[in-house]
Amino acid sequence: IRRDLAAARPDAFRPDLAGSLNNLSNRLDALGRREAALAAIDEAVSIRRDLAAARPDAFRPDLAASLNNLSGCLDALGRREAALAAIEEAVSIRRDLAAARPDAFLPNLATSFDVRGTVLRGLDRHGEAATSFADGLAAISALFLALPQAAEAVTRALVRGYLQSCEDAGIAPDQEMLAPIIAKLAEIGAKEAPEDGNT
């Protein structure tokens, strides 16, 4: 439907088409149909790149989101150098957005650092991966410590990736950075544990 609408009135409906293609890619990927997922997200990125070139303030956030998803699709297909290029572009955009509006965009930036770290791990670049996960933790830690429910999932993923990458790289984790985050995660875990001690 949105393809037909966009063909008739591209200025009005191409953004909606790109959004649906982005969602389609996610659903196809969840079903393991990765080549089809890649085709859909490629088209979404192409549309959103055009939109962002014309109206960057309105469409750069959407372009970054689709680049983030594109990187995940490429990584799942083993195309890790291409995945890295896509996520580097997403990180660059989201870094700019977060500098201007940190409350709105720091969680997205942290997510892109997580994806970047995962891609770098797949390339056996473990020291760089550890740095990417650490950058993500630096971006999200203040929000997580203040409002843990708003950033728990990405924070857990970043901590896990960081510790794994440090181990693989043979480097010591930054305990000063980790300490308040680990303490807050432990506090959350204690609150969520059953009162009778059963698991």
Side-chain angles (χ1 to χ4, degrees):
I1 293 169
R2 285 179 163 170
R3 200 180 289 285
D4 288 346
L5 292 168
R9 294 180 57 199
D11 290 347
F13 293 111
R14 286 183 84 216
D16 292 337
L17 173 59
S20 288
L21 286 163
N22 198 86
N23 293 344
L24 174 62
S25 177
N26 289 338
R27 300 291 78 76
L28 289 165
D29 186 63
L31 289 167
R33 296 173 57 187
R34 294 196 169 98
E35 292 289 352
L38 178 59
I41 197 62
D42 261 334
E43 187 177 357
V45 166
S46 177
I47 293 169
R48 286 178 161 174
R49 197 181 293 286
D50 289 346
L51 293 169
R55 294 178 56 199
D57 289 347
F59 293 112
R60 287 182 83 217
D62 292 337
L63 173 59
S66 285
L67 286 164
N68 207 82
N69 292 346
L70 173 61
S71 180
C73 282
L74 290 165
D75 188 52
L77 288 166
R79 296 172 56 185
R80 293 194 171 96
E81 292 293 348
L84 183 60
I87 198 60
E88 292 284 16
E89 186 178 359
V91 165
S92 178
I93 293 170
R94 285 178 161 174
R95 203 190 295 272
D96 289 346
L97 294 169
R101 293 179 56 201
D103 291 347
F105 293 111
L106 277 176
N108 294 332
L109 176 59
T111 298
S112 286
F113 277 129
D114 182 50
V115 173
R116 183 177 181 270
T118 300
V119 173
L120 287 164
R121 280 179 57 78
L123 288 165
D124 295 324
R125 293 164 60 176
H126 299 296
E128 292 171 78
T131 298
S132 188
F133 291 122
D135 287 343
L137 288 168
I140 203 67
S141 61
L143 174 62
F144 170 68
L145 294 172
L147 295 168
Q149 68 276 15
E152 181 183 353
V154 67
T155 301
R156 285 189 185 279
L158 286 162
V159 168
R160 189 181 312 113
Y162 177 65
L163 291 173
Q164 289 172 344
S165 296
C166 286
E167 182 178 351
D168 291 340
I171 57 179
D174 182 343
Q175 297 297 342
E176 184 178 350
M177 174 187 71
L178 286 174
I181 297 169
I182 296 294
K184 181 61 74 173
L185 288 170
E187 180 185 322
I188 293 167
K191 288 179 180 176
E192 292 176 350
E195 290 184 8
D196 62 4
N198 294 328
T199 57

